[in-house]
Amino acid sequence: MDIGVFLPTGTRGYLISSTAPLNKPTYELNRYVVTAAERYGVEFALSMVKFRGFGGESRYWDGALEPFTLTSALAAVTSKIRLFSTTASLVMPPAVVARMAATLDDIAPGRIGINVVTGWQKAEYEQMGAWPGDIHFERRYDMLGEYVEVMRELWRTGRSNFQGNFFKMDDCRLEPQPTAPIALVVAGGSERGMEFAAKYCDYNFCAAPNTINSPEACLGPIGRLKAVAERHERDVKALVWVTVIAAASDAAAAEKWEHYRQGTDLVALGWSKAQASADRNSKDPHSTMARITGNPAQSPTASMKLIGSYATIARHLDRMAAIPGMAGAMLSFDDFRIGIDQFGECIQPLMTSRAGP
């Protein structure tokens, strides 16, 4: 099982809590995390995109870095780790992103991937005059499919005359082309999202349930992805996002989690849920909207969580690695500077699935 890190590109990282570490998004912090991750043998890192935060006392994601700019800088200071940048498809044309990815590949040959997203937070794009109307909720994966087709045609041939409902190319050119395939990942948990992943992507972030220390909860979403991918006769690898809260003892880790839980920012959570509820047509219980609106108010994160001592976390990650079809776990931490070193120095050496030859 590969290990990745979900880079802290937004304020507070991924805990919607006023008592969680601030993790102020800076290049210096992200450089520290990604270079440490590479040193510890972590296989990939991903930076998300966000143009408007959730506010509240935590100021969750009110500050955020632009991922392609950040990835360019990180590519220049690393040599092995694969770097995934996120494209905001509503405001970044596919031909432009194709060229940006080709440029990144020139900096870090064979190490570049793109996380493709449709955009679900209406206010995030409305503030820029870029929201295409609520019909976007219904046709967003159709748009994203054309988006990927344009990029891949440019990467493959250097030209595109693609004519679709959303994008129309007129002898569009790209040179130089990437030296290696640009891997694509999507976080598609809904039926439509998994169909998209099976048709277009190399990886899919399977949305594991909001559980604590229950790695086998990944079995359901991974099984769903496998079934859809088999129908399309493709091998799409499953990744799972995991929040790690570690300490020297189980009791100390549980105490940290309770401290963060007590600081859950209900205002920021309310903003997130209100934005997700704008998609009134989504009935799929596995959709992003369903996961956000269904997140218990007392939980500052909707991800799967591993909480405990270094030995406990290592044991649970080994259990994850044994799940059929599990390709990788993408880790986020409460305090990223401390967390990445805890993983590399205290947790990974205890994992049998990561043991060296």
Side-chain angles (χ1 to χ4, degrees), residues 80-97:
K80 296 179 181 178
I81 193 168
R82 171 165 278 186
L83 301 170
F84 286 87
S85 185
T86 301
T87 175
S89 57
L90 285 176
V91 293
M92 302 171 70
V96 174
V97 173

Side-chain angles (χ1 to χ4, degrees), residues 137 140 190 276 278-290:
F137 290 122
R140 59 199 185 107
S190 67
D279 183 4
R280 296 181 175 85
N281 296 313
S282 180
K283 308 299 182 184
D284 192 318
H286 303 290
S287 68
T288 298
M289 289 67 181

Side-chain angles (χ1 to χ4, degrees), residues 208-215 217-218 302-307:
N210 184 355
T211 58
I212 296 177
N213 294 345
S214 299
C218 299
S303 72
M304 171 178 283
K305 291 165 284 295
L306 299 182
I307 302 172

Side-chain angles (χ1 to χ4, degrees), residues 15 17-20 212 245 250-264 298-300 305 307 334:
L15 287 171
S17 169
S18 59
T19 53
I212 296 177
I245 298 176
D250 288 341
E255 184 178 350
K256 283 205 296 182
W257 169 246
E258 181 59 21
H259 177 59
Y260 303 149
R261 196 184 68 79
Q262 290 295 329
T264 298
Q298 70 272 21
S299 179
K305 291 165 284 295
I307 302 172
D334 48 346

Side-chain angles (χ1 to χ4, degrees), residues 29-208:
L29 173 60
N30 282 273
R31 181 183 62 186
Y32 181 92
V33 171
V34 82
T35 54
E38 182 172 76
R39 187 168 67 251
Y40 297 132
V42 169
E43 281 82 9
F44 70 93
L46 184 145
S47 52
M48 63 110 184
V49 64
K50 188 56 58 179
F51 296 106
R52 188 185 184 106
F54 297 174
E57 184 180 355
S58 66
R59 301 193 66 247
Y60 186 71
W61 287 353
D62 284 357
L65 302 179
E66 193 287 310
F68 275 87
T69 312
L70 176 65
T71 299
S72 180
L74 297 178
V77 297
T78 54
S79 60
K80 296 179 181 178
I81 193 168
R82 171 165 278 186
L83 301 170
F84 286 87
S85 185
T86 301
T87 175
S89 57
L90 285 176
V91 293
M92 302 171 70
V96 174
V97 173
R99 189 171 295 273
M100 293 164 72
T103 302
L104 287 171
D105 178 73
D106 188 48
I107 301 169
R111 294 195 289 125
I112 299 303
I114 294 181
N115 176 34
V116 291
V117 299
T118 63
W120 62 269
Q121 189 182 345
K122 181 178 177 180
E124 183 177 10
Y125 295 96
E126 238 178 10
Q127 69 178 0
M128 300 183 286
W131 182 250
D134 288 0
I135 193 174
H136 177 63
F137 290 122
E138 301 175 29
R139 63 187 190 183
R140 59 199 185 107
Y141 280 112
D142 296 327
M143 177 272 290
L144 200 60
E146 291 190 8
Y147 196 99
V148 169
E149 289 190 32
V150 170
M151 291 196 300
R152 283 196 161 153
E153 189 171 49
L154 288 169
W155 291 332
R156 185 178 65 253
T157 69
R159 294 190 179 190
S160 177
N161 283 291
F162 182 86
Q163 297 292 303
N165 294 318
F166 302 92
F167 303 102
K168 298 183 186 297
M169 302 294 109
D170 182 9
D171 193 25
C172 186
R173 306 291 184 96
L174 174 65
E175 188 180 341
Q177 296 158 245
T179 59
I182 304 295
L184 296 182
V185 60
V186 69
S190 67
E191 182 178 347
R192 183 69 182 86
M194 283 201 172
E195 286 286 341
F196 174 87
K199 185 175 181 180
Y200 293 105
C201 294
D202 305 288
Y203 301 91
N204 183 47
F205 284 113
C206 294

